[in-house]
């Protein structure tokens, strides 16, 4: 069997939730959309017994959590996409975000039984989802008039919370304060929790930081006291001595500068390890860094083993996680840790840490 796998540390997840608690007295809506940022939707929910609620992207994710026996608050961060979802939302006690007129119209047409809690999304400056500031009062009044709506919360999202002393964020927070006159209110994502205490309100919405990665460009997870939940691992499946001038892998993209050992790791872009890099990343073998050389293949990665004292077939290789922050690999790939974690493919097995 292929040795590639993601080892998941539930204790680290619970630890990171405590880090959020230490930063904020607000209730915590743990955002576990996109298959729990690649860690597994239900695994993430089960390993967050202290979360006050969950945030997911869609009805199917909410239903999967209910089917797994999760009975806490579940917010659908993009609400419903069609009116047919309304009965299921009621039946499964989900709380959708209402951000568009078509959703209000669908609720006004709904004549069935039952009711649910909802959030109104306010566009305070991100210009993605939400009612414009001058539409909020009318949207709120329209929803309050509907028997299908129980309690209404007010939500917005920060566009640049990871930037310290950002005037746009200050402006978003001020706009939100003016418009969101009633609790519950929710504005802060991970970066908001870490850098903008005035954005916390009644509910914070951490995603990335729960999984141990930092949303801030100038600090990694361990620096913030977070622990990586996932360690992406595989093993050396081949070690060969190559000669000076030998070209390695597809397109011969790397040429050995001298006689040297080159290892092959059993993992590739078919598992979600990135293929495009702006500078070569490293992997971790026996606690030391070995640079990736040549192109990443679908199932294999070649590494320069010159820095590893006595490499052996079967040696464990860490691609990111414990000892090698995913932020570092993301930076080498010119991306953010979000895309690497979410980009892991279905064939990659996820194992709970022993
Ligand atoms: C994904 C998401 C979050 C969590 O963001 P992080 O940066 O991962 O903490 C919070 N709120 C909304 C609306 C989201 O879509």
């Amino acid at each position: 069997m292929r040795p590639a796998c993601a080892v998941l540390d539930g204790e680290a997840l619970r630890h990171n939730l405590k880090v959020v608690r230490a930063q904020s007295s607000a209730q915590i809506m743990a955002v576990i959309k996109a298959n729990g940022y690649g860690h597994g939707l239900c695994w993430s929910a089960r390993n967050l017994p202290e979360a006050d609620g969950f945030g997911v992207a869609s009805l199917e994710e909410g239903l999967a959590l209910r089917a797994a026996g999760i009975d806490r608050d579940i917010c659908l961060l993009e609400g419903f996409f069609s009116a047919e979802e309304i009965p299921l939302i009621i039946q499964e006690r989900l709380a959708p975000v209402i951000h568009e007129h078509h959703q209000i119209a669908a609720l006004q047409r709904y004549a069935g039984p039952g009711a649910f809690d909802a959030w109104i999304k306010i566009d305070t400056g991100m210009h993605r989802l939400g009612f414009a500031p001058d539409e909020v009062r009318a949207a709120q009044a329209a929803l309050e008039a509907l028997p299908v709506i129980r309690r209404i919360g007010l939500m917005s999202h920060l566009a640049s919370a990871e930037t310290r002393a950002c005037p746009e964020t200050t402006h978003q927070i001020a706009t939100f304060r003016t418009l969101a006159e009633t609790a519950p209110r929710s504005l802060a994502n991970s970066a908001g929790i870490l850098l903008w205490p005035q954005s916390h309100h009644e509910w914070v919405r951490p995603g990335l930081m729960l999984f141990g990665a930092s949303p801030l460009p100038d600090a990694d997870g361990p620096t913030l006291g977070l622990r990586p939940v996932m360690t992406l691992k595989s093993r050396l499946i081949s070690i060969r001595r190559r000669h000076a001038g030998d070209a390695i892998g597809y397109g011969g993209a790397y040429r050995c500068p001298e006689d040297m050992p080159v290892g092959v790791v059993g993992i590739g872009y078919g598992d979600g390890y990135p293929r495009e890099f702006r500078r070569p990343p490293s992997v971790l073998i026996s606690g030391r860094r070995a640079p990736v050389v040549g192109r990443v293949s679908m199932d294999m990665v070649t590494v320069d083993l010159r820095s590893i004292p006595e490499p052996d077939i079967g040696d464990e290789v860490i691609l990111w996680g414990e000892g090698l922050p995913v932020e570092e690999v993301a930076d080498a790939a010119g991306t953010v840790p979000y895309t690497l974690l979410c980009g892991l493919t279905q064939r990659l097995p996820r194992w709970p840490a022993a």
Side-chain angles (χ1 to χ4, degrees), residues 9-77:
D9 182 350
E11 226 165 283
L13 191 55
R14 293 187 286 278
H15 165 85
N16 297 335
L17 189 92
K18 289 203 181 92
V19 173
V20 176
R21 285 253 187 260
Q23 300 266 341
S24 176
S25 55
Q27 302 216 72
I28 300 178
M29 181 192 296
V31 178
I32 53 174
K33 62 196 181 190
N35 196 28
Y37 287 51
H39 297 68
L41 177 70
C42 295
W43 180 86
S44 302
R46 279 195 209 99
N47 282 281
L48 286 168
E50 305 280 301
D52 300 296
F54 295 105
V56 295
S58 65
L59 177 63
E60 41 279 53
E61 291 177 336
L63 295 181
L65 289 177
R66 287 289 184 248
I70 303 295
D71 63 2
R72 267 161 287 165
D73 290 354
I74 296 176
C75 172
L76 308 182
L77 294 169

Side-chain angles (χ1 to χ4, degrees), residues 197-211:
Q198 64 280 44
S199 74
H200 291 184
H201 303 285
E202 288 77 35
W203 281 87
V204 291
R205 307 192 307 269
L208 188 71
M209 72 181 288
L210 291 176
F211 297 99

Side-chain angles (χ1 to χ4, degrees), residues 31 33 37 77-78 121 128 155-157 187-191 193 205-209 215 338:
V31 178
K33 62 196 181 190
Y37 287 51
L77 294 169
E78 291 160 46
K121 186 75 170 272
R128 193 178 60 180
M155 182 182 290
S156 187
H157 197 49
L187 179 57
N189 56 1
S190 294
I193 292 164
R205 307 192 307 269
L208 188 71
M209 72 181 288
Y338 298 85

Side-chain angles (χ1 to χ4, degrees), residues 127-141:
H127 300 144
R128 193 178 60 180
L129 287 187
F131 294 100
D134 63 359
E135 299 173 324
V136 172
R137 295 235 149 74
Q140 191 167 356

